[in-house]
Structures are given as structure tokens and as C-alpha cells.
Amino acid sequence: LWLVAVGALLLATGLAPAATIAALAPFFAALALIIVLFEAGRDMRFGEGDGVGGRARRLAGAGAVLSVPAVMLLSMALSGLNLLPTWSWTHGLMLGALLLATAPEVFSPSLKQAGAPAKVVATLERESAIRGALAIAVTATCIDLLSLRVGEGQALAAIAAGFGLGLAFG
């Protein structure tokens, strides 16, 4: 949010021309992605020997593999009915990634209050963190692909560069 506020402030005050802000936007987007992914993974412990990390990774992977393609296909079907006239597969992927994210701060207190076992709560919190990081990375990539900054032939290179930059700084 602070990046949005800074951009709006710079634009509203005229301290930076709109063209300069637009040119710098990809760099700030990469910075935001790095910060969010770093924060998501900072407190995660996968090698504790309790089996929670492995279950969380499998659950997150299964959720992504099953839900993202289903959302993509459904959105493309709606596009075929002309309900989404300018829709593409990239739009469908981004929608699937956005719906992949869950919020542990919403379900975790309810599970704890209901008396769910601690391992179940821990597994779902870690699974949610993994899915959230995946959702952010895929959504950011789709935004780059849908923008005019990335040509069709350069899509894979742009994706690899974005993830490489995030991994290097993360």
C-alpha cells in the first residue's frame, strides 16, 4: 500500500511526470513482490520433523493444480459466451491465481476456537502461506504479460527474469 501511496502522491503533486512513474513501475512491482514473498516465508519452518511442512506443500500443490485450471476453463467458457469479451488464457490464469490465495487470519482463529488440533491449524496456515506466495508470483507475472511491456516472444524470458530477481533478493 505504501508504494501505491507514494506513486499517487508523486503524481498528484507533480514531483514526477506520469511517464517517469510508468517507466519505474515494473521496478517497484518487483520490489513489492520481493517484500511480500520474503514476509510470507520469513517465519515458515519446513524442516521441523513434524510432517506439517510436507503436508502443507502437498496440499498447496494439489489445490493449485486442481483449482487454477478449473477457474481458467470456467472463465474461458464465459468468454466463449461473450460474457467476458476481451478475455484471454492469461486473464484466466490470473483469475485462478487470485482465487488461489486464502487468508489464515480469517480461518485460523475460528479453527482454534473450535478446538481443531494444533497440527491441522499449523498445516493450513503453512499451506495458505505457500498458496499466497504462489498467487502473488503468478498474478504479478500475468500482469507483466498482459501489459505492453512484454512482447509475446519475450514472455518466458520475462517470467524467468522476474522469478530470478525475486529469488536473488529473497
Side-chain angles (χ1 to χ4, degrees):
L1 289 176
W2 61 270
L3 287 173
V4 172
V6 168
L9 182 68
L10 288 174
L11 191 59
T13 60
L15 292 174
T20 303
I21 293 172
L24 293 175
F27 300 106
F28 284 110
L31 175 65
L33 181 61
I34 290 165
I35 291 169
V36 169
L37 292 178
F38 181 79
E39 284 297 315
R42 186 172 50 104
D43 295 323
M44 295 180 72
R45 308 281 182 263
F46 287 110
E48 296 172 346
D50 59 4
V52 169
R55 281 193 298 273
R57 286 190 299 269
R58 288 189 299 275
L59 190 58
V65 166
L66 295 174
S67 65
V68 173
V71 170
M72 286 176 65
L73 290 172
L74 178 63
S75 71
M76 291 307 292
L78 293 174
S79 174
L81 297 172
N82 289 325
L83 295 174
L84 302 169
T86 60
W87 204 252
S88 69
W89 285 102
T90 305
H91 288 98
L93 175 62
M94 185 167 63
L95 178 62
L98 288 169
L99 294 177
L100 185 65
T102 56
E105 52 276 349
V106 173
F107 67 77
S108 187
S110 300
L111 288 175
K112 289 176 184 174
Q113 188 174 8
K119 273 190 166 183
V120 170
V121 176
T123 300
L124 291 175
E125 286 175 344
R126 290 179 185 171
E127 181 260 349
S128 180
I130 294 166
R131 287 171 55 141
L134 181 62
I136 290 166
V138 171
T139 300
T141 301
C142 288
I143 289 170
D144 280 344
L145 292 174
L146 290 169
S147 72
L148 298 177
R149 292 188 303 261
V150 179
E152 288 182 25
Q154 301 168 331
L156 289 177
I159 292 169
F163 280 103
L165 181 65
L167 286 173
F169 282 100

